[in-house]
Each structure stands twice: as C-alpha cells, then as structure tokens.
Amino acid sequence: MTPSLYIHIPFCAQKCDYCDFFSIPLNNCENIKYSENYVDSVLNELNFYKSFFSVDSWKTIYIGGGTPSKLSPSLLEKLIINAKKTPSEIQPLEITVEANPQDITIPFIQSLKSAGVTRISMGIQGADDKALKKINRGCSEKNIFDALNLLESHWDKDISVDFIAGLPGQTYSSFSEQFDKILSYHITHVSLYTLTVEEGTPLFNKISDKKISFSQEKCDKMWNTGKNILKKKGFHQYEISNFSIPGKESIHNSSYWQQDDYIGCGCTAAGTIYGKTGLRWNVTKNIHAYENFWLQKNESKNETLNSLQDKGLLSIEKLSKETMEFEFLMMGLRMNRGISLLEFKKRFGKTLEESVGEKINIFREWENEKLAKTIREKNDVRYALNSRGIMLLNRFLESLL
C-alpha cells in the first residue's frame, strides 16, 4: 500500500485572529519538552498505522499545522527522517513542510535539506504591516522578505506561499504591489485564498462588534486581482485556490482531490482509506490523552482502529458508496482537469449518468452557459468547470443534491 501521509504539528508562536485550526502556543522551555514528547507520540502513532495498513511506501509526506517550523530544526529533522522509513525504502515523490517567515533560518533550511524535503510552504498571508497587525499575525513585512532572501540564497528546491486576499487594512494598491514583489522571487506554487471569517474567531468577533470592517465583495475583487497577476507571471490555476508554474503542482494536495488514500497523524489530523466502503478517522484534539497513550511504545501492539476509538483517541466514520460518489465530484471538480468518467465507472461500478440520473443534464446546461466543458481524450471523457464555473462550484454541487 502506498498512501500519502499528513502529520499535524499543533504548535504556534501565537494564534492569528482569523485561524480556527487546532493550535497551542509554544513559547517557553516547558513547551519545548512538550514538543519533544509530541513528536515521539506522533512517531509511535505512525508506526501503528504503518503496521495496521501494511504501508510499503509513502506517495507523499506533508507536515502541516499549526506551525511545524516552531519545532527545533533537529527535532523536525528527526520527525521527517523517521516518518520516511518504510519497508521498501522508496522515497516519497514529494515532502512538504509548512513554515512561517520568522522561522526561516540557515539551520532550519539545512535540516530540511538533510531530511530530504522537496518543498517549503511558507505562510505569508499578507506582506502589509498594517494588515498583519490587524489580524494579530506576529510577523512583519521585514520578516517575510528576509525569509525570501534567505531561501533565494540557500534553498534550491520548490517554494510555495500562502496568500490571503481581503485582509483588514489591505488596499488594492498595497495588495498588488506586495504580491507582485513576492512573485519576483523563485516561487513555484501559490495558494491564494479570499479571507474566510469563521464564527468564534477573534476576527469574527471584531467584525461583529464593528471594530473592523469587512466586505466579501472587496475580498473577491482583490482575489481576482491576484489571479490576474499570477497569470501574467506564468502561473496556471490548476485548482480553485491553487496556482503553479506548469509541472510544479502540489502532488500531495492533488491526492486529496483525486480521492487517493491518505493517513493522518497527530492531534486533529484526518485519514481516509477508500475501498468498497470508505474508512475515515479523525484524531482527538486532547493532546494530554494523545501523548499519555502514544508515548508508551508497546501500548498499540494489539490495538485496532475500533479499540482506539473506544479509548477516545480517534473517531471513525464509514463512508457509504453514495458519499464517496459525491465526494468524487466535489473534490474532482475543484481541479481544472475535472473528473474522469472512466475513473468514475472503475471506482463505483456504474456510469456517472447512472449515478446522478437526469441531473446529468446539469453538466450540459452549464456547458451551454459557458461555465463548463467536456474534454474528449483518446480513451476517456472528462467533465470540468472552466475558470468562471469553478468559482461557482458550491452552486453546481447543490444542483446535484
């Protein structure tokens, strides 16, 4: 079995106001030891999955968070080198590590090189000090360009950056100027998002209390501005929010969109193994219970996913065929290459038309409205939304329900 691997590192220097991911501040010596225990726990959990699912090799590895770069360089290197170990010793096609600009140092870069990392994904989000302060980002414009200069000099592999359009305090001119400046560096991949205001976050509360103004229309227009800049720089949009130089698409994230098997380790991580009946699990966010169990090296010897669920360490969801069929459409149509009718029939034993019935006409209606396209290949036919239609994906999916 050759699934992809996701490892969640929940530690952050501080929580940004827009973030609703699970994270823990890591800012003192006691928490440094805490992170060592956490990494050992993850590696023990990972060894359980390797054995339980008979993992022969990893297709890709992605270390995300939180902020993986808050781990010391040596601890991060230990995590990656041990995670890579599989019976076949075949190396993953791609190893990605997320990092914040202020954590990019020469020792950090050297550790990633030693561990065989192929891509650094840097969470820039915005390069305007005014906007960064408004979202409690804990990063400055100087941090960002210092990091980019270090990477330019000392990193010869892929660089991906995350950027958010519509941050409070951003103007069209500041967004365009800074975005254009960032893309003057050797960046091969960009994830460009519009600002999402999640209920319960400090940003949501500030907007609700009228302390910060928010306009979805402004976010959308700013995102389109960024999209046009990327196009001029030679990037192509291969997924709703993701752009790359041709050939530099994220293999790991594409595995999610293509419904490939993936294993998730660490608090709040998710994993999914597809088959006749899909199996999905979500790891607990109770870090104390998680570490108390997984720090015991022999604790998992006779465990199963069901027994781990009984212990409260994860929750299991069995995916019906109908759910997997819908997710095939939902995830596949995020990509500009769309969905393969041949692959659909191979996976589910019936044609797409047999699955959705008369609603198959919705594809044709959208094609007539120049929102979708049919791609005819030698041995296959693909349905895809075009650059206009892909922005209306939710509306399209609702019409299929």
Side-chain angles (χ1 to χ4, degrees), residues 7 241 333 382:
I7 296 175
S241 302
L333 289 170
R382 308 187 71 89

Side-chain angles (χ1 to χ4, degrees), residues 8 31 61 92 105 137 148 166 171 199 212 217 240 244 302 304 306 308 327 384 401:
H8 189 76
N31 278 340
I61 296 176
T105 62
R137 181 79 181 112
L148 287 169
T171 64
E199 191 169 351
I212 287 179
E217 183 181 3
I240 290 177
S244 78
N302 299 311
T304 64
N306 285 329
L308 293 175
E327 288 189 358
L401 290 174

